[in-house]
Amino acid sequence: MNKLRDLLHHDPAAALKAARSLDASLEVPTAETAFVMGAALQALKREQEAEASLGEALRRNPAHRHAGIALAHLQRNQGRYRAAAATVEALVTALPGDRRFALHAIGFLRDTPLPDEAEHLWLSTQQGADADSEAIYMGGEIALISGDFATARARFDRCLSLDPVNPGAIHGRAIAGSLSPDDGFAKHLASLARVCQRLPNDSRIMLEFALGKLAMDCGDLPTAFGHFDRANAARRAQMTWNRSEPTLSAHWPAADRPQSSRGDAVVLVLGMPRSGTTLLATRLGQHPGIAERGELPWLGMLEASEITANDYLHHLRQDDSPRARYIDKNPLNFRHLDLVAQEFPRARVLHCRRDPRDTAVSCYAQYFAHADMAWSSSWPDILEFQRRYREAIARRPSDIAWLDIDYAELVASPETVMRRALGFLGLDWDESVLATPERGSIGTASIWQARQPMHTRSLGRWRDAAPFIKPVLDAYGVGSEPTGLPP
């Protein structure tokens, strides 16, 4: 069997042939031969056959880890998240008492849009006094994504009691609600601040962002921006934005990929990060005819030819109840508008606009892990990225269905804006889009704000920060309307 595994890595076609021959010769066929056949078929892109063989391996041995993991990944890569969750849950059941494997399975589910399934598995396998800090932290993440902020805070606090410098727990606890100096977490931050320079770099970055948020929540902006400056300086040392790389992805010439008629169900909510994309998308996602899928990475992969246009549609549709419209709210999808117009010409775009001074301040004060956001840790880079974003919006394909949504109008007159948006999407009015979302998966930087009632308090927030954002004000001025923008 080890020889089959080795062959699988070097020559999947030969491994498939050998496994089939061996399987046919055995009096009692094994799960291992079925697994090798399934893995080989998967490597050969014969996914339907691969799924059948991997399923057969699990029928023969429900506790075959490699077959279960391979099948779950195959299903997830097809956008069939519920099927993948069922596969993972069955495998955990077949491996009772293996808490480390269960933790890996929970991590797999956490990265799907199924936080309730991840929570159920976490509760059934990771509870108890002997749960370690990694497991408790993961439970905090799941509760945070689900919108159960009280539970998230309790789990992050418990994690920090075991691992005081856990960077993820520091960050998660900081964004799981407003902070107060009387909070036990604030006292924990103060104790870490006394040894800040001796902390691991990741913990120090998270500590500075958390201290900045605490000061911001308390109205102490000089202290807040001092922490944000130090956090972003440390972040730049870790991850810098390469300005020489094009902001816009290359698009395929129409001669190479003929324009199709698909995309009627596709809705993109995009704009500068922190411009209200999560707020708009989560509200629209409560409409019975809309499914909101979060920030999908697939358009960039489609641009790089790693997946097909049909793969992208599968990840939008997934395997839950069908809807009329599916929202991909990755704000950076503005980089792929040429591709969208070509591959999904019937798609609709909701473009969120907000005062660039407010988005600049909000981005600078927020920790972003992804390399796509490396530009957000310096004022010059933020301003340059905003310029490139405006350039991309201005040169978008003229025939793409487009509706501008102003953040200021959205928070001041939500019903007016939501009626306009639903009309643009071809859907009837439904009061549900005005409700504050309580449950469901939100995994963006606006994880707390998107679950609060709409308000206008964030309009013009840059004014309070004016003494600390000179490069931004030099670029846009201090008037009620920013200057330096194209007409």
Side-chain angles (χ1 to χ4, degrees), residues 225 229 357 361 379-380 383 462 465-478:
F225 276 90
D229 287 342
R357 295 164 294 192
V361 170
W379 294 122
L383 293 169
W462 65 269
F468 318 104
I469 60 169
K470 184 178 184 301
V472 177
L473 301 187
D474 288 345
Y476 297 120
V478 296

Side-chain angles (χ1 to χ4, degrees), residues 265-332:
V266 177
V267 178
L268 303 182
V269 175
L270 51 78
M272 270 295 295
R274 312 296 286 173
S275 63
T277 54
T278 301
L279 182 66
L280 175 65
T282 53
R283 261 53 174 194
L284 286 173
Q286 298 179 121
H287 189 284
I290 299 176
E292 195 270 300
R293 300 308 195 190
E295 296 186 2
L296 301 179
W298 305 109
L299 279 181
M301 295 182 183
L302 176 59
E303 190 84 52
S305 301
E306 295 176 23
I307 67 169
T308 68
N310 282 334
D311 290 333
Y312 176 71
L313 294 176
H314 289 320
H315 280 282
L316 275 178
R317 289 171 181 152
Q318 299 181 16
D319 55 355
D320 52 13
S321 58
R323 312 290 174 85
R325 304 285 181 266
Y326 298 93
I327 293 177
D328 176 354
K329 70 145 301 277
N330 189 330
L332 300 183

Side-chain angles (χ1 to χ4, degrees), residues 354-372:
R354 187 180 180 187
D355 189 313
R357 295 164 294 192
D358 279 335
T359 60
V361 170
S362 190
C363 286
Y364 191 75
Q366 177 68 48
Y367 172 76
F368 295 101
H370 201 282
D372 277 353

Side-chain angles (χ1 to χ4, degrees), residues 160-161 163-165 170 183-193 207:
L160 290 169
S161 71
D163 180 7
V165 300
I170 294 170
D183 192 311
F185 177 61
K187 295 179 173 60
H188 181 70
L189 294 179
S191 68
L192 292 181
L207 171 63

Side-chain angles (χ1 to χ4, degrees), residues 195-256:
V195 294
C196 181
Q197 296 307 312
R198 300 204 297 271
L199 297 179
N201 198 48
D202 286 346
S203 299
R204 185 160 52 88
I205 291 172
M206 296 305 193
L207 171 63
E208 293 288 8
F209 273 114
L211 287 168
K213 183 177 184 300
L214 172 62
M216 184 80 83
D217 288 349
C218 296
D220 183 356
L221 269 64
T223 298
F225 276 90
H227 288 299
F228 294 145
D229 287 342
R230 288 188 289 275
N232 281 304
R235 221 176 128 233
R236 288 195 298 276
Q238 258 189 355
M239 180 172 61
T240 58
W241 181 42
N242 183 359
R243 290 195 182 195
S244 65
E245 292 183 359
T247 303
L248 297 182
S249 301
H251 66 283
W252 295 308
D256 292 343

